[in-house]
Amino acid sequence: MTSSAIAATGLRKAYKDKVVLDGIDLDVATGTIFSLLGPNGAGKTTTVNVLSTLMKADGGTVRVAGHDVATETKAVRAAIGVTGQFAAVDELLTGRENLQLMADLKRLGSGESKRVVADLLERFDLTESAQKQAASYSGGMRRKLDLAMTLVGKPSIIFLDEPTTGLDPRSRRTMWDIIRRLVAEGTTIFLTTQYLEEADRLADRIAVLDQGRLVAQGTPAELKRLVPGGHVRLRFAGDLELDAAMRVLPDSTRDDDEDLILRVPGDGGASSLRALLAQLDAHSIEVEEFSVHTPDLDDVFLALTGRTNTKVNA
């Protein structure tokens, strides 16, 4: 496989007069988690549909697992798995039967299919409920079964389109642990989500999509530094040190909630932090402790898209 699991250039898609994707570029490194954020209607699901061969683009080029999605569709589909927003399990079948159905569709041999099904049931903690109809499963169990079904074919790239929507916090964290284990084994994850905490905790890189355009890309830390509000909190041993620091740092302000603390505006980067501490050291001003505070992804989302995300921390 190439170093880029997914590479898209100038990707365009429109429905009649409505442009949904307006020339986006993506590069997803192999063995990483890439998260696509955006408000409802931004084009996230359309992006997944195009990258996973479920929909044809109107323009641009896309390569997934080293294959062109337009001309090598079968090769792309052999390399990927897709888990949509809603669990695609057959509720009339048991958990084991759902997995066996996928094994049959993948044309696994009898012995191999039994091993794969048993392994996935154990891996997703579904062995005890394997003989129960999926209709009796909780939402978290259905999502786990849905992802387990995706893994039957051992895809190297998995598209997860809002995989934890509607799950309670415990089930969501269980899904996070499963995703992390998959990546540790070398799988590439393309994740769309409206839960900003989810992207912050999981993603190696994040892209923000708004009205069909990518408005920012980077690591979570890089995106947080795009918006103002970052600062360094400095705690001093006494008033003398604090007053001296205020004279040296004219942009600093005293913390309203705690004594002996100054807030100094900054981007939180290592170079700016070193410069700040060196400046204080040059004036023999000793800092008792410091901490860096940066805007969170909610702040980034609001700044880049002009709206809040109602699902954050839900």
Side-chain angles (χ1 to χ4, degrees), residues 22-269:
D22 192 8
I24 68 172
D25 300 331
L26 294 171
D27 192 348
V28 180
T30 299
T32 64
I33 301 177
F34 184 95
S35 182
L36 186 63
L37 300 179
N40 288 332
K44 301 189 299 298
T45 297
T46 298
T47 301
V48 170
N49 287 342
V50 170
L51 297 180
S52 60
T53 76
L54 297 176
M55 182 182 294
K56 291 186 177 181
D58 296 330
T61 59
V62 182
R63 298 189 72 82
V64 174
H67 304 289
D68 189 297
V69 298
T71 61
E72 300 173 276
T73 303
K74 288 185 178 180
V76 171
R77 291 177 178 174
I80 68 172
V82 181
T83 299
Q85 294 182 26
F86 306 101
V89 303
D90 189 325
E91 295 187 351
L92 298 179
L93 300 180
T94 67
R96 184 182 299 277
E97 288 169 342
N98 269 283
L99 289 169
Q100 186 61 54
L101 174 62
M102 292 302 299
D104 292 342
L105 291 173
K106 294 290 184 180
R107 298 182 179 179
L108 301 184
S110 176
E112 183 182 3
S113 68
K114 287 181 180 179
R115 288 193 299 273
V116 169
V117 169
D119 176 66
L120 289 171
L121 287 171
E122 181 178 357
R123 183 175 184 180
F124 285 83
D125 196 24
L126 293 170
T127 302
E128 291 185 5
S129 54
Q131 301 306 119
K132 296 179 181 179
Q133 280 188 320
S136 68
Y137 284 14
S138 67
M141 291 172 66
R142 291 187 194 190
R143 296 303 291 175
K144 288 197 295 183
L145 177 58
D146 193 25
L147 182 52
M149 291 166 64
T150 300
L151 294 181
V152 168
K154 299 181 180 179
S156 60
I157 301 169
I158 299 177
F159 293 91
L160 299 178
D161 192 10
E162 300 188 19
T164 62
T165 296
L167 298 188
D168 61 78
R170 183 185 298 274
S171 296
R172 184 173 301 126
R173 281 165 175 75
T174 298
M175 187 63 70
W176 292 353
D177 290 339
I178 291 171
I179 292 171
R180 291 189 182 104
R181 289 200 299 269
L182 288 171
V183 174
E185 295 167 0
T187 306
T188 302
I189 302 291
F190 188 100
L191 170 73
T192 74
T193 181
Q194 290 191 15
Y195 297 113
L196 304 186
E197 180 191 12
E198 184 164 272
D200 199 0
R201 292 197 179 202
L202 292 178
D204 298 293
R205 289 186 63 81
I206 294 172
V208 182
L209 186 66
D210 189 35
Q211 297 181 350
R213 292 173 177 260
L214 286 180
V215 294
Q217 288 193 66
T219 67
E222 289 169 345
L223 292 185
K224 292 171 188 177
R225 289 198 289 268
L226 292 177
V227 299
H231 63 275
V232 179
R233 296 174 81 247
L234 303 171
R235 182 186 293 276
F236 299 90
D239 289 323
L240 289 177
E241 291 85 354
L242 184 140
D243 292 339
M246 289 188 68
R247 290 192 293 270
V248 172
L249 305 170
D251 292 336
S252 64
T253 57
R254 297 191 67 154
D255 194 295
D256 294 332
D257 299 324
E258 296 186 57
D259 294 331
L260 304 178
I261 288 182
L262 286 184
R263 290 175 177 242
V264 184
D267 61 7

